[in-house]
Amino acid sequence: MHPDSAGFAIYGDDVTGDWVKFTLRHPKEDYDWAGLTESLTGALGCAIEWMQNANVAVLKLEASEASVREWLGANASDVLILSAGQSIEILKEVGLPENITSKFSLSRMKGSHIIGHTRMATESAVTMEGSHPFSTGSDLCLVHNGSLSNHNRLRDRLKREGITFETENDSEVAAGYLTWRLNNGDSLQTALENALKDLDGFFTFTIGTKDGFAVMRDPIACKPAVLAETEDYVAMASEYQALASLPGIENATVWEPEPATFYIWERK
């Protein structure tokens, strides 16, 4: 099997207060982002900053997330919302990881933490929308190795709770589930405890939030994972080979996460 798509969520360049940040994608690289932002700010009467990165634009607006989503849905239905929040930016495409990181100039980006994923599809079609990370809530993203057996029933339940989905992918349901729990007041730890009870199947999850990230494996832990921690960083991958070139890895604490156990790192 060969990688079919890849993506990453980077946390940084935060906005604060009443500002919100969106990552938007259009299939065409010559899409008129200037026209869209002009119309959007004219309709909402808000301040805006924006930049284009290949066929993606990052918008920072002094407006509510709901009002921006509503306007985009009514006036720019061909534009896909990849992420929204105050910190997160998601960039993903079909293709090889090295081509995608080059397209979006990942090496020039800065942030506090990043969640990346390379996909080899087993459950659903190879599309940009089906690639990881998935984001279903403000500043939250999830990447997943495995498959869920109860995602159809859970998706229907979450839709009734107001969670929206862009794909039929089972991993997006896991992201939606965590968004629902967090929206209802769960801490990240409690949301993961509930996920362990409500999600059936095989999974290794990495979950990104504005303040950090978490790793969780199912009770059987058949999907691989390895963690490395130094005084300077924490890193996670499916295999040690992906961590071997990190600076100071020879002095890192390296271990395989335990089944049905949560590992959470958050900025204080």
Side-chain angles (χ1 to χ4, degrees):
M1 293 181 68
H2 299 285
D4 56 68
S5 59
F8 48 91
I10 187 164
Y11 291 84
D13 191 24
D14 295 13
V15 296
T16 57
D18 294 329
W19 287 71
V20 64
K21 183 165 71 166
F22 279 81
T23 315
L24 306 179
R25 179 191 184 273
H26 192 275
K28 298 179 179 178
E29 293 212 8
D30 61 353
Y31 181 73
D32 183 13
W33 292 111
L36 178 138
T37 55
E38 185 177 346
S39 299
L40 175 57
T41 53
L44 299 184
C46 62
I48 187 169
E49 301 172 10
W50 70 279
M51 59 160 285
Q52 183 176 351
N53 184 356
N55 61 323
V56 164
V58 176
L59 278 59
K60 300 176 182 177
L61 308 98
E62 192 173 15
S64 71
E65 181 179 327
S67 66
V68 177
R69 286 185 178 275
E70 182 179 358
W71 188 91
L72 290 169
N75 298 280
S77 58
D78 55 343
V79 170
L80 181 66
I81 299 172
L82 293 177
S83 65
Q86 292 195 310
S87 182
I88 190 172
E89 294 176 31
I90 287 183
L91 301 161
K92 57 184 184 176
E93 288 289 343
V94 171
L96 295 174
E98 56 264 39
N99 296 339
I100 295 164
T101 57
S102 174
K103 173 178 180 174
F104 293 116
S105 302
L106 177 61
S107 62
R108 296 207 298 266
M109 292 184 178
K110 295 180 180 180
S112 55
H113 52 297
I114 185 169
I115 311 292
H117 184 272
T118 303
R119 185 173 185 233
M120 292 181 282
T122 56
E123 290 292 318
S124 55
V126 176
T127 63
M128 186 286 304
E129 292 84 354
S131 60
H132 302 222
F134 286 102
S135 182
T136 52
S138 182
D139 283 319
L140 181 129
C141 78
L142 176 141
V143 300
H144 172 206
N145 183 7
S147 60
L148 302 178
S149 55
N150 65 335
H151 62 97
N152 287 324
R153 178 167 52 82
L154 201 51
R155 183 186 287 106
D156 291 340
R157 174 185 169 191
L158 292 168
K159 283 181 178 178
R160 291 194 296 271
E161 297 287 346
I163 302 297
T164 58
F165 296 96
E166 299 287 345
T167 74
E168 295 300 310
N169 192 289
D170 60 329
S171 307
E172 189 181 14
V173 174
Y177 176 86
L178 292 174
T179 295
W180 173 60
R181 297 298 324 187
L182 292 167
N183 286 350
N184 280 276
D186 279 9
S187 66
L188 184 56
Q189 170 88 23
T190 305
L192 295 176
E193 289 170 357
N194 283 307
L196 205 54
K197 292 183 287 188
D198 289 342
L199 300 180
D200 293 331
F202 304 113
F203 52 83
T204 292
F205 292 139
T206 302
I207 301 104
T209 71
K210 182 180 178 181
D211 296 320
F213 77 102
V215 173
M216 180 176 80
R217 301 173 83 190
D218 67 75
I220 299 173
C222 67
K223 295 299 180 181
V226 60
L227 288 160
E229 185 170 10
T230 72
E231 291 185 0
D232 298 318
Y233 64 80
V234 179
M236 179 267 185
S238 295
E239 300 173 1
Y240 178 78
Q241 182 179 355
L243 306 177
S245 61
L246 290 176
I249 190 68
E250 64 278 0
N251 299 315
T253 302
V254 178
W255 76 101
E256 184 178 327
E258 295 292 327
T261 304
F262 318 114
Y263 300 85
I264 300 173
W265 291 267
E266 291 185 310
R267 291 181 290 175
K268 301 301 183 185

